[in-house]
Amino acid sequence: MNPSQHVDRLIRKLETLAALSDEEKQALRGLPLTVKAFKADQDILREGDNPAECCLVLEGMVFRYLMLDDGRRQIMGFYIPGDIPDLQSLHITTMDHSVASLVPTTVAFIPHQSLNELNARHPTIANALWRDTIVDAAMFRLWMVGLGQKSAHERLAHVLCELLVRFKAVGLAEDEQTCAFPITQTELGDALGLTTVHVNRVIQDLRRDGLITLGRGSLCINDWERLRQRAKFNPLYLHLDGREARP
Amino acid sequence: MNPSQHVDRLIRKLETLAALSDEEKQALRGLPLTVKAFKADQDILREGDNPAECCLVLEGMVFRYLMLDDGRRQIMGFYIPGDIPDLQSLHITTMDHSVASLVPTTVAFIPHQSLNELNARHPTIANALWRDTIVDAAMFRLWMVGLGQKSAHERLAHVLCELLVRFKAVGLAEDEQTCAFPITQTELGDALGLTTVHVNRVIQDLRRDGLITLGRGSLCINDWERLRQRAKFNPLYLHLDGREARP
DNA sequence: CGGACCGTTGAGTAGAGTCAATGTGGGTGG
DNA sequence: CCACCCACATTGACTCTACTCAACGGTCCG
């Protein structure tokens, strides 16, 4: 991946949030990016940090999580290339959770100062970024609905639907029904509020019913419509606006 | 409550998010507010709506919720005077959830256009509002942690701690340990992912242990420190320290 | 070849749900 | 003013989803 592709990833993501003029794209290309590689399972940001930059995912995959004192861990979201998982640090200085890599990952750090200057000069970009934090919040709300109201089967099906749709939205799905899935069953459990054992049993049910093929870092949804029904998945909350979200 | 107090409620809230100059406060006072009263249990906004204005809570209390097809309901947050529960509608046009009154409530509607003009002219206010949506997201994340990882006892204790702290932050607590609590056990259940029956049993445990007095629309936390420990409550996520970030 | 990590399986348990009935206080209409 | 109603709170008995504990299997990799 060469440097100009780095910012293209960001532009492509922002274009899912707002239409950008050539001038605005040019301004984005002027952002100073510091690229850094992480191995799998490394913290990129930790609870309590006061970062002076935001991190844009270029390759790989990251997740946000909060660890409780007694070792319980809640994973709050998975992030794919083009996402800026700590955009909120622009406005709340202290991280109230951590961000870590799921697999070997490269990220680009963008100084808060550069982003603030960009926002001051280009309100469209500022609004697109604001919109991104708002869509983030919409995803949290929907995960809350899952954790509070849905069964283990519905929750698991939902996260599978969500990831395929999001990969497709940024053009990174392998094909119409297949995408990367480097998430272990333990991590899935921490995301869904379930134990590893139970996640395993539910996955086997989905496999047995012919809905998915899951393994070796890859997810294939063999029967989108039935999985969608089982998950009660409705992509409205992703606010992908017009960009069709149906595999 | 007279008209000038309406906007004061908003100013007081925004001052928990950023320091405001006199000029900025003056600009806020120029906002056109349309005040409207709602009875208890009325929808103020519904999933699917495309509102052209934001609603500021003046008196009473509201909550956000999402209803699933089969009648299950997840409540996503409770909002008190000074809060703008649908601020995100400025940037995502279609409501992906509903907002309703818990008790008789008055709200002020502020046209999106006025807010956008204000934001264009006063970056500090725009950033304060952005920050508000980000703090909102932080609250969703913490609720997620509760729903995913915590026991019924921890969750219930947590929501009680949160509400008292938030009432105190905007000066609306009755005293140091008492605030309004017009939430039924059914509603608490829908917020915490529990049944009414179980909520009731947990409340009784907390009462039996002398931690709270709860009833008749009022909550008194008799032993803050023990309740806080039981909830593992840490108010960091509310980001009430204000003015953290001034780009 | 051995360890580490992840996935899989089985047996027993418990936290929370379900169903159903009863208690209680505030509001309302006759 | 009283009787009734209704929403909310409370209680008990029973059930079930998901958890716990524990062991075993597969695969990658040094």
Side-chain angles (χ1 to χ4, degrees):
Chain A
M1 208 177 184
N2 69 53
S4 91
Q5 290 179 298
H6 295 161
V7 88
D8 284 345
R9 182 118 291 159
L10 174 61
I11 290 172
R12 173 148 200 183
K13 169 63 179 274
L14 291 183
E15 284 185 319
T16 69
L17 296 160
L20 298 178
S21 69
D22 287 342
E23 190 199 342
E24 284 151 358
K25 290 184 201 175
Q26 214 43 51
L28 287 164
R29 282 183 224 285
L31 281 174
L33 304 184
T34 309
V35 176
K36 189 166 171 197
F38 288 87
K39 299 197 189 76
D41 286 313
Q42 280 193 293
D43 279 339
I44 296 170
L45 287 156
R46 280 208 184 82
E47 189 189 347
D49 283 356
N50 297 295
E53 43 203 13
C54 287
C55 80
L56 165 68
V57 179
L58 296 175
E59 287 179 304
M61 208 161 152
V62 309
F63 64 103
R64 303 160 97 138
Y65 70 95
L66 185 68
M67 204 96 188
L68 302 182
D69 301 335
D70 55 9
R72 288 177 290 180
R73 175 178 72 163
Q74 177 67 39
I75 291 178
M76 300 154 163
F78 297 108
Y79 296 87
I80 67 180
D83 290 335
I84 307 178
D86 66 335
L87 192 50
Q88 88 283 339
S89 70
L90 260 186
H91 284 96
I92 52 177
T93 59
T94 303
M95 290 293 294
D96 57 22
H97 62 279
S98 301
V99 176
S101 59
L102 218 39
V103 280
T105 295
T106 57
V107 306
F109 290 104
I110 312 171
H112 284 173
Q113 201 189 339
S114 307
L115 283 171
N116 283 323
E117 287 165 8
L118 192 71
N119 288 341
R121 210 159 329 184
H122 300 282
T124 304
I125 294 176
N127 282 332
L129 292 175
W130 187 352
R131 189 161 194 264
D132 185 64
T133 62
I134 284 174
V135 172
D136 226 36
M139 293 181 47
F140 294 141
R141 284 195 298 269
L142 222 15
W143 279 44
M144 280 180 59
V145 175
L147 290 167
Q149 303 301 326
K150 292 191 179 177
S151 69
H153 282 75
E154 289 171 313
R155 275 181 264 175
L156 185 54
H158 198 278
V159 74
L160 302 180
C161 290
E162 177 186 308
L163 271 173
L164 180 59
V165 167
R166 285 172 57 207
F167 268 113
K168 286 169 67 172
V170 292
L172 288 171
E174 284 172 40
D175 64 44
E176 273 303 294
Q177 44 185 24
T178 313
C179 67
F181 197 86
I183 306 174
T184 66
Q185 295 183 2
T186 304
E187 287 153 352
L188 270 180
D190 286 348
L192 302 175
L194 301 169
T195 56
T196 307
V197 172
H198 202 61
V199 166
N200 182 272
R201 290 180 171 131
V202 175
I203 286 175
Q204 288 179 58
D205 287 344
L206 294 179
R207 283 204 273 246
R208 195 170 307 123
D209 296 346
L211 302 184
I212 60 166
T213 307
L214 180 59
R216 300 169 182 282
S218 169
L219 162 69
C220 178
I221 297 184
N222 301 312
D223 190 335
W224 170 261
E225 191 46 32
R226 278 208 296 147
L227 191 68
R228 195 194 64 68
Q229 281 170 17
R230 197 167 294 199
K232 297 186 172 54
F233 180 77
N234 174 351
L236 172 66
Y237 74 101
L238 294 172
H239 297 278
L240 293 170
D241 274 5
R243 254 153 262 268
E244 191 36 82
R246 189 187 328 266
Chain B
M1 207 176 182
N2 68 53
S4 93
Q5 289 179 299
H6 295 160
V7 89
D8 284 346
R9 181 118 294 158
L10 174 61
I11 290 173
R12 173 148 200 181
K13 168 63 179 275
L14 291 183
E15 284 184 320
T16 70
L17 296 160
L20 299 178
S21 69
D22 287 343
E23 190 198 340
E24 285 151 358
K25 289 184 201 175
Q26 214 43 50
L28 287 165
R29 282 184 225 283
L31 282 174
L33 303 185
T34 309
V35 176
K36 188 167 172 197
F38 289 87
K39 299 197 190 75
D41 286 312
Q42 280 193 293
D43 278 338
I44 296 170
L45 287 157
R46 280 207 184 83
E47 189 190 348
D49 283 355
N50 296 296
E53 44 204 12
C54 287
C55 80
L56 164 68
V57 180
L58 295 174
E59 286 177 306
M61 209 159 152
V62 309
F63 64 102
R64 302 161 96 138
Y65 70 94
L66 186 68
M67 205 96 187
L68 302 182
D69 301 335
D70 56 7
R72 288 175 291 178
R73 175 178 72 164
Q74 178 67 38
I75 290 178
M76 299 154 165
F78 297 109
Y79 296 87
I80 66 180
D83 290 335
I84 307 178
D86 66 335
L87 192 50
Q88 88 283 341
S89 70
L90 259 186
H91 284 96
I92 51 178
T93 56
T94 303
M95 290 293 295
D96 56 22
H97 62 279
S98 303
V99 176
S101 58
L102 218 39
V103 281
T105 294
T106 58
V107 306
F109 290 104
I110 312 172
H112 284 173
Q113 201 189 338
S114 307
L115 282 171
N116 283 325
E117 286 165 9
L118 192 72
N119 287 340
R121 210 160 329 184
H122 299 281
T124 303
I125 292 177
N127 282 330
L129 292 175
W130 188 352
R131 190 162 194 263
D132 185 63
T133 63
I134 286 174
V135 171
D136 227 35
M139 293 181 47
F140 295 141
R141 283 195 296 270
L142 224 11
W143 278 45
M144 279 180 57
V145 175
L147 290 168
Q149 304 301 326
K150 293 191 178 178
S151 69
H153 282 76
E154 290 171 312
R155 274 181 265 175
L156 184 54
H158 198 277
V159 74
L160 303 180
C161 289
E162 178 186 308
L163 271 172
L164 180 58
V165 167
R166 285 172 57 207
F167 268 113
K168 284 165 72 172
V170 291
L172 289 171
E174 282 171 41
D175 64 45
E176 272 303 294
Q177 47 186 21
T178 312
C179 66
F181 196 87
I183 307 173
T184 66
Q185 295 182 3
T186 303
E187 286 154 351
L188 271 180
D190 287 347
L192 301 174
L194 301 170
T195 56
T196 308
V197 172
H198 203 61
V199 167
N200 181 272
R201 292 182 169 126
V202 174
I203 286 176
Q204 289 179 59
D205 287 343
L206 294 179
R207 284 205 272 247
R208 194 171 306 123
D209 296 346
L211 302 184
I212 59 166
T213 306
L214 180 60
R216 294 160 191 288
S218 168
L219 162 69
C220 177
I221 297 184
N222 301 312
D223 190 335
W224 170 261
E225 191 44 32
R226 278 207 298 147
L227 191 68
R228 196 194 62 69
Q229 282 171 16
R230 196 167 294 199
K232 299 188 171 53
F233 180 76
N234 174 353
L236 172 65
Y237 74 100
L238 293 172
H239 298 277
L240 293 170
D241 35 359
R243 299 148 214 198
E244 265 187 51
R246 258 209 93 129

